[in-house]
Amino acid sequence: RRKSIFSVENYILRDFCVCIPKNFGMLSNGVDETVPIIKLDTNYEVLEYYVSVQDCARANGIASTNISKTASGKNNTCHGYIFMYFNDIKDMTTDEIISYRLHQRKNYKDSTLKSIDRISSSGEIINNYESISQAAKELNLDIIHTQTEFSMGLIGKFVAKNLKIPCIHTYHTMYEDYLHYVAKGRLLKPYHVKQMSKSFCYHMSGIVAPSLRVKETLERYGIDEPIEIIPTGVDISKFSKSTNENIREKYKINPEQPLLLTLSRLAFEKNIDKLLNAMPDILARVPETKLMICGDGPARESLVQQVSDMNLTDSVIFTGEIDNDEVGGYYKAADVFVSTSVSESQGLTYIEAIASGTKVITTHSPYTDSILTDASIGMTFTGEDELVNKVVDYLLNGEKYNDSKPREEL
């Protein structure tokens, strides 16, 4: 067990758990200068990630021995910066990952980090994980199904191992599409996602992939555990039934006015800016078109500014986050549901729109092509011109695509 060689602590840096070996010099009778290292400011904000100590030394004009001594010592400040070793998750056991967490001490003059007791995802202090296992044992569980690779997912693996029962996992998130959120993409690379995923899925009884894209990604990562494609279910009755709320009336949209809808978390990887870029060409051919953007998220401010800069304020509506029970009404109010996202692992919004009777236009991929097999259901696009042409075709010639048979077969 690696714990006999060194202990591992996790530093929370910009919402990412960076795994750092303590007393790293013990690994090779001295400090290994080929290991990755991170550079931080005195507030423990990540500035740079380097593939090795030597690379860091060259970039900063500091002797590699000074950086090594700094990173492995108690006083880890050098030349006004903080240097810490970064160790891949693949080199740790599950027990080590969940056994330690470190948080930044607030209002402490020298930004010293302090140890915190082991905690659960709900924030409650857990003095020992045996109490969790005992609670699970009392429930007489036959199997554990985890839904996240962090916090409760790790606890789920721990409990399943202690109870000697199967543990299966559903892999929901395509993390490679979200790396830009961590230190602006400078800290984590696809390789780290691969190693994290392999580490978590190791020794799982089975993996559930919501789509072929997820399954192929996990296989590309070299995950050997059994993987089965089981799409996440959608209660289509929730979207096929009529709604009492008149969404068009609520937002003062005429019954005959063409309405496009996009509904998602307003995140940059959803590429909603590309849909806005296409709006002037759509409006040139169908002048009364409205675009309704439902949802909220980190990209909202940027999208609102883009709408203003493009003079689209009168043509674009931001609804903000909407209640889940009201989603069906928004789908039904629209003529076409449009998605420009390339980060979907399954794309449940496509299914919801189809169940609501609304035509779908979305980015081309093997997955979307397998769903949108008939123009009466929806179409895919590969570029802005194709997006514009297909949106306009649906808005002006929608009656041509009202064959209900393909939708029923789907």
Side-chain angles (χ1 to χ4, degrees), residues 51-85:
V51 297
S52 68
V53 174
Q54 297 99 318
D55 182 54
C56 177
R58 284 192 295 269
N60 291 276
I62 305 173
S64 59
T65 53
N66 287 343
I67 293 177
S68 298
K69 290 177 182 177
T70 299
S72 59
K74 292 183 178 180
N75 182 11
N76 57 359
T77 302
C78 179
H79 288 232
Y81 297 104
I82 297 168
F83 297 94
M84 291 182 177
Y85 291 113

Side-chain angles (χ1 to χ4, degrees), residues 25 59 115 153 163 179 208 222 238 260 297 308 326-327 332 371 387:
S115 294
L163 298 183
L179 295 181
V208 175
K238 176 180 177 181
L260 306 178
S308 176
E326 299 174 357
V327 170
K332 288 183 176 298
I371 296 176
L387 168 61

Side-chain angles (χ1 to χ4, degrees), residues 237-408:
S237 63
K238 176 180 177 181
F239 301 96
S240 58
K241 63 184 179 183
S242 59
T243 177
N244 295 326
E245 185 174 13
N246 190 326
I247 301 300
R248 285 178 173 261
E249 186 178 290
K250 178 178 180 179
Y251 292 97
K252 298 179 173 55
I253 302 171
N254 296 329
E256 303 303 320
Q257 193 168 9
L259 177 61
L260 306 178
L261 171 72
T262 188
L263 187 152
S264 69
R265 179 173 180 267
L266 303 191
F268 292 100
E269 64 273 5
K270 301 298 183 180
N271 296 327
I272 300 173
D273 58 316
K274 293 184 178 180
L275 177 55
L276 292 176
N277 288 337
M279 280 301 291
D281 289 337
I282 294 172
L283 290 167
R285 297 165 65 179
V286 191
E288 298 300 316
T289 302
K290 289 275 190 181
L291 169 62
M292 181 176 285
I293 300 176
C294 296
D296 206 348
R300 176 167 180 162
E301 183 178 344
S302 174
L303 294 172
V304 170
Q305 185 62 51
Q306 182 180 356
V307 167
S308 176
D309 293 344
M310 296 179 68
N311 296 317
L312 293 173
T313 305
D314 293 337
S315 301
V316 179
I317 300 169
F318 288 91
T319 68
E321 189 171 351
I322 59 177
D323 190 279
N324 190 51
D325 293 333
E326 299 174 357
V327 170
Y330 284 81
Y331 284 122
K332 288 183 176 298
D335 295 294
V336 183
F337 173 79
V338 185
S339 172
T340 45
S341 173
V342 294
S343 66
E344 305 301 322
S345 61
Q346 185 174 4
L348 294 179
T349 51
Y350 315 148
I351 307 299
E352 293 173 352
I354 294 170
S356 300
T358 305
K359 296 176 180 63
V360 175
I361 295 180
T362 187
T363 310
H364 156 77
S365 73
Y367 172 65
T368 54
D369 286 346
S370 69
I371 296 176
L372 307 178
T373 56
D374 191 284
S376 297
I377 301 170
M379 295 186 279
T380 62
F381 68 93
T382 55
E384 185 175 311
D385 289 343
E386 190 176 9
L387 168 61
V388 171
N389 289 335
K390 290 186 174 181
V391 167
V392 171
D393 189 20
Y394 268 151
L395 294 181
L396 296 180
N397 306 299
E399 68 280 354
K400 293 195 312 183
Y401 306 106
N402 287 334
D403 185 358
S404 61
K405 186 175 180 180
R407 188 180 302 272
E408 292 170 356

Side-chain angles (χ1 to χ4, degrees), residues 110-275:
D110 63 356
S111 299
T112 301
L113 295 178
K114 67 172 184 176
S115 294
I116 301 245
D117 288 334
R118 292 170 284 185
I119 62 174
S120 71
S121 63
S122 63
E124 299 173 350
I125 300 298
I126 304 297
N127 292 323
N128 58 74
Y129 284 99
E130 285 71 20
S131 60
I132 303 176
S133 296
Q134 182 59 37
K137 186 181 296 184
E138 292 173 1
L139 292 172
N140 194 30
L141 300 180
D142 297 307
I143 189 170
I144 288 179
H145 184 184
T146 58
Q147 305 278 340
T148 173
E149 293 77 25
F150 309 98
S151 58
M152 293 304 293
L154 292 169
I155 292 174
K157 285 193 70 174
F158 178 88
V159 171
K161 180 180 178 180
N162 276 4
L163 298 183
K164 295 180 174 56
I165 60 176
C167 185
I168 63 172
H169 177 66
T170 295
Y171 194 97
H172 290 283
T173 307
M174 303 298 289
Y175 292 104
E176 290 185 28
D177 297 330
Y178 298 86
L179 295 181
H180 57 280
Y181 283 113
V182 183
K184 298 181 180 179
R186 293 179 296 179
L187 179 61
L188 291 180
K189 304 299 179 185
Y191 169 79
H192 301 120
V193 174
K194 170 186 173 181
Q195 296 306 122
M196 178 277 291
S197 300
K198 287 184 67 175
S199 174
F200 184 84
C201 293
Y202 185 62
H203 277 176
M204 278 287 182
S205 305
I207 310 295
V208 175
S211 68
L212 179 61
R213 181 191 178 202
V214 175
K215 184 175 187 290
E216 291 177 341
T217 298
L218 296 180
E219 291 174 340
R220 175 166 54 85
Y221 289 164
I223 292 174
D224 297 325
E225 283 65 28
I227 304 173
E228 293 291 338
I229 299 176
I230 304 178
T232 304
V234 175
D235 182 4
I236 61 174
S237 63
K238 176 180 177 181
F239 301 96
S240 58
K241 63 184 179 183
S242 59
T243 177
N244 295 326
E245 185 174 13
N246 190 326
I247 301 300
R248 285 178 173 261
E249 186 178 290
K250 178 178 180 179
Y251 292 97
K252 298 179 173 55
I253 302 171
N254 296 329
E256 303 303 320
Q257 193 168 9
L259 177 61
L260 306 178
L261 171 72
T262 188
L263 187 152
S264 69
R265 179 173 180 267
L266 303 191
F268 292 100
E269 64 273 5
K270 301 298 183 180
N271 296 327
I272 300 173
D273 58 316
K274 293 184 178 180
L275 177 55

Side-chain angles (χ1 to χ4, degrees), residues 11-18 39-41 43-48 104 179-188:
Y11 290 82
I12 307 302
L13 302 170
R14 289 193 178 179
D15 300 324
F16 174 70
C17 213
V18 179
K39 173 183 175 183
L40 310 92
D41 62 21
N43 292 318
Y44 287 86
E45 292 290 322
V46 176
L47 298 178
E48 298 289 346
Q104 188 171 326
L179 295 181
H180 57 280
Y181 283 113
V182 183
K184 298 181 180 179
R186 293 179 296 179
L187 179 61
L188 291 180

